[in-house]
């Protein structure tokens, strides 16, 4: 059973990874660095992406570096994930359906001492894959309109190192160092009256960001936690070409001109979470996160950055009546989340709501498991210049556990 699950999981995940260039096709990835990517490890996608207060007992919890202080001694953990997403885009006049297959993350973690642990992870941070045709937009301080056609690709990657340390049995703290790097390509044309302006741009980004985290056990069933993602500047440079076409006459304004461009600023983000275990192996997680985007004092040509609130709730349940029974060791999960979004277009928020369900399928008598989850969500709404996204998402995370430096007692 163990080998069948591992082989099947790797086959599916490698298939998803082979399509990883198509990470997102959301029109909202037109803004800023693109759509922020939700790359959650283990069983987190099934519980509404909540879990700031969960310790890393059986999987790598990427939501809080303090969780690494609870890694089991002599255990090495490996986590690999992928997603399949089917999305329908709607506005006032039309609808369109797109499918994407995405690489989610690659991570490993191990204990350094009995009270501390370390992890390394690579995952996408944002995606700027979009395609928009003849979008009608108003000209500022005018009654006139222009038409935008745009196509983009690329995004940023997140490579981070995390360390957690536990003081006694109740308090743990952690820190993450996040390296952001990548590039985006952006081809846009603007039609105004009988004139077309085409701008082709490639932008390179790099930056560093730190995250601090803590977890505190009130008792054996109740844990509270907090995280703080520090403000950061992502440096940017671009290479750009500009051409115009007026009355059939083409003029080159710029040709592969390299220059610095406005840096991108990431906000202070604060997260708070609780984890409560009830009788009959029922566990609840509840998270709240606040992102102070407005304080970055930046805006986009087509929208404004606003402060963001996110709420997430999750439940897990397992019977464990008979530890020798495979079916009794399966963990069931459900969750929901609501995100107000950090973009405001024409005074309207681009929010996101989702529900999720999932299973954790154990692999023999180890901490290894295959986590499968399904999510349904809606982003944005049908209104002036806004697009509503309805998406179905299947996430597959493989968490493998190995034991190091333990001598066999029976040969």
């Amino acid at each position: 059973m163990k080998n069948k699950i591992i082989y099947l999981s790797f086959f599916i995940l490698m298939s998803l990874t082979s399509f990883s260039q198509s990470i997102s096709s959301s029109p909202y990835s037109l803004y800023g660095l693109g759509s922020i990517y939700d790359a959650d490890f283990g069983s987190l996608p099934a519980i509404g992406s909540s879990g700031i207060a969960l310790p890393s007992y059986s999987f790598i919890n990427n939501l809080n570096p303090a969780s690494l202080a609870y890694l089991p001694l002599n255990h090495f953990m490996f986590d690999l994930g992928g997603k399949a997403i089917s999305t329908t885009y709607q506005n006032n006049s039309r609808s369109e359906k797109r499918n994407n297959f995405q690489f989610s993350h690659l991570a490993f973690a191990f204990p350094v001492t009995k009270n501390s642990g370390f992890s390394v992870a690579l995952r996408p941070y944002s995606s700027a894959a979009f395609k928009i045709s003849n979008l009608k937009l108003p000209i500022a301080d005018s009654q006139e309109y222009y038409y935008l056609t745009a196509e983009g690709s690329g995004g940023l990657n997140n490579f981070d190192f995390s360390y957690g340390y536990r003081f006694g049995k109740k308090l743990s703290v952690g820190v993450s160092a996040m390296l952001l790097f990548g590039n985006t390509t952006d081809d846009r044309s603007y039609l105004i009256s009988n004139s077309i302006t085409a701008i082709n741009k490639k932008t390179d980004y790099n930056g560093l960001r730190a995250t601090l985290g803590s977890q505190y056990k009130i008792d054996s069933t109740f844990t509270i936690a907090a995280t703080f993602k520090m403000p950061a500047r992502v440096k940017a440079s671009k290479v750009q070409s500009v051409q115009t076409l007026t009355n059939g006459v083409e003029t080159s304004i710029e040709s592969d001109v390299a220059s610095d461009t406005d840096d991108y600023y990431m906000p202070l983000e604060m997260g708070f979470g609780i984890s409560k275990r009830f009788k009959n192996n029922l566990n609840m997680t509840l998270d709240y996160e606040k992102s102070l985007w407005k304080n970055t004092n930046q805006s986009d040509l087509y929208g404004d950055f606003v402060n963001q609130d996110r709420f997430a709730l999750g439940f897990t349940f397992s019977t464990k009546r008979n530890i020798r029974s495979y079916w009794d060791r399966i963990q069931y999960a459900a969750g929901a989340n609501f995100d107000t979004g950090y973009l405001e277009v024409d005074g309207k928020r681009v929010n996101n709501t989702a529900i999720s369900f999932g299973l954790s399928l154990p692999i023999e008598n180890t901490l290894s498991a295959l986590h499968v989850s399904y999510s349904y969500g809606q982003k944005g709404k049908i209104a002036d210049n806004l697009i509503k996204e309805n998406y179905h998402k299947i996430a597959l995370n493989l968490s493998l556990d190995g034991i190091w430096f333990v001598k066999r007692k029976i040969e």
Side-chain angles (χ1 to χ4, degrees), residues 52-57 61 64-71 114-117 163-175 212-218 223-228:
I52 292 177
L54 289 177
S56 291
Y57 286 141
N61 183 358
N64 190 342
S67 67
L68 297 171
Y70 294 95
L71 285 170
K114 66 177 182 179
N115 292 326
S116 64
Y163 177 78
Y165 185 85
R166 177 161 45 95
F167 297 91
K169 296 182 178 181
K170 292 192 173 185
L171 175 65
S172 66
V173 296
V175 60
L212 305 177
S214 64
Q215 292 182 341
Y216 183 79
K217 289 183 175 293
I218 303 297
T223 302
I224 60 175
T227 58
F228 297 90

Side-chain angles (χ1 to χ4, degrees), residues 327-387:
W327 300 108
D328 283 352
R329 290 187 289 118
I330 293 176
Q331 180 177 274
Y332 305 88
N337 64 65
F338 174 73
D339 180 357
T340 63
Y342 60 92
L343 285 174
E344 191 172 78
V345 181
D346 290 340
K348 302 176 182 66
R349 287 286 190 114
V350 182
N351 54 36
N352 180 76
T353 305
I355 57 173
S356 56
F357 307 92
L359 298 172
S360 292
L361 305 174
I363 301 176
E364 285 196 350
N365 296 317
T366 68
L367 297 179
S368 300
L370 174 63
H371 307 281
V372 183
S373 67
Y374 163 78
S375 304
Y376 170 74
Q378 294 183 349
K379 182 177 181 180
K381 57 185 177 181
I382 300 176
D384 294 339
N385 299 323
L386 286 185
I387 295 173

Side-chain angles (χ1 to χ4, degrees), residues 101-400:
F101 301 90
Q102 310 176 352
F103 165 71
S104 174
H105 63 272
L106 177 66
F108 66 86
F110 55 88
V112 178
T113 67
K114 66 177 182 179
N115 292 326
S116 64
F118 176 79
S119 74
V120 176
L122 175 65
R123 58 186 185 270
Y125 175 78
S126 68
S127 171
F130 57 87
K131 188 174 183 179
I132 299 173
S133 300
N134 297 319
L135 178 63
K136 185 179 180 181
L137 295 168
I139 298 175
D141 302 322
S142 172
Q143 299 298 318
E144 301 296 324
Y145 289 85
Y146 68 95
Y147 293 87
L148 169 69
T149 296
E151 184 172 357
S153 62
L156 268 67
N157 300 299
N158 177 2
F159 187 49
D160 65 61
F161 302 86
S162 301
Y163 177 78
Y165 185 85
R166 177 161 45 95
F167 297 91
K169 296 182 178 181
K170 292 192 173 185
L171 175 65
S172 66
V173 296
V175 60
S176 291
M178 176 193 304
L179 172 63
L180 296 171
F181 63 96
N183 60 69
T184 61
T185 59
D186 191 334
D187 300 329
R188 305 189 187 191
S189 65
Y190 304 86
L191 172 60
I192 305 175
S193 298
N194 62 343
S195 177
I196 299 176
T197 299
I199 301 176
N200 309 103
K201 178 173 63 175
K202 180 181 179 181
T203 308
D204 292 301
Y205 297 95
N206 67 85
L208 291 171
R209 193 184 194 191
T211 298
L212 305 177
S214 64
Q215 292 182 341
Y216 183 79
K217 289 183 175 293
I218 303 297
D219 56 40
S220 61
T221 66
F222 187 41
T223 302
I224 60 175
T227 58
F228 297 90
K229 296 180 181 179
M230 300 296 103
R233 183 179 71 174
V234 180
K235 296 182 179 180
S237 60
K238 67 179 180 180
V239 176
Q240 180 172 283
S241 297
V242 180
Q243 293 87 29
T244 63
L245 180 63
T246 304
N247 296 324
V249 178
E250 183 174 340
T251 304
S252 178
I253 306 301
E254 292 181 349
S255 181
D256 295 330
V257 176
S259 64
D260 292 330
T261 187
D262 291 339
D263 293 335
Y264 187 81
Y265 293 88
M266 304 182 68
L268 171 66
E269 299 183 57
M270 301 170 287
F272 305 94
I274 64 171
S275 174
K276 173 63 178 177
R277 189 175 75 251
F278 301 94
K279 294 181 179 180
N280 300 321
N281 298 309
L282 176 66
N283 194 84
M284 180 193 75
T285 51
L286 177 64
D287 291 358
Y288 168 71
E289 293 179 275
K290 181 80 171 183
S291 302
L292 303 180
W293 285 95
K294 192 173 182 179
N295 290 353
T296 62
N297 296 319
Q298 59 188 345
S299 63
D300 193 275
L301 178 62
Y302 310 110
D304 297 311
F305 289 86
V306 292
N307 291 341
Q308 178 183 24
D309 297 286
R310 180 179 174 275
F311 305 87
L313 174 67
F315 295 92
T316 59
F317 175 77
S318 57
T319 58
K320 292 187 178 179
R321 290 190 297 265
N322 182 359
I323 194 66
R324 295 186 177 183
S325 170
Y326 180 83
W327 300 108
D328 283 352
R329 290 187 289 118
I330 293 176
Q331 180 177 274
Y332 305 88
N337 64 65
F338 174 73
D339 180 357
T340 63
Y342 60 92
L343 285 174
E344 191 172 78
V345 181
D346 290 340
K348 302 176 182 66
R349 287 286 190 114
V350 182
N351 54 36
N352 180 76
T353 305
I355 57 173
S356 56
F357 307 92
L359 298 172
S360 292
L361 305 174
I363 301 176
E364 285 196 350
N365 296 317
T366 68
L367 297 179
S368 300
L370 174 63
H371 307 281
V372 183
S373 67
Y374 163 78
S375 304
Y376 170 74
Q378 294 183 349
K379 182 177 181 180
K381 57 185 177 181
I382 300 176
D384 294 339
N385 299 323
L386 286 185
I387 295 173
K388 181 179 180 180
E389 299 181 12
N390 294 281
Y391 59 86
H392 302 269
K393 182 192 307 180
I394 296 177
L396 187 64
N397 291 343
L398 180 62
S399 299
L400 296 177

Side-chain angles (χ1 to χ4, degrees), residues 1-14 363 370 396 398 400:
M1 184 69 177
K2 174 181 178 181
N3 290 335
K4 289 182 179 179
I5 291 178
I6 292 177
Y7 292 149
L8 177 61
S9 303
F10 268 110
F11 173 77
I12 297 175
L13 289 172
M14 289 302 100
I363 301 176
L370 174 63
L396 187 64
L398 180 62
L400 296 177

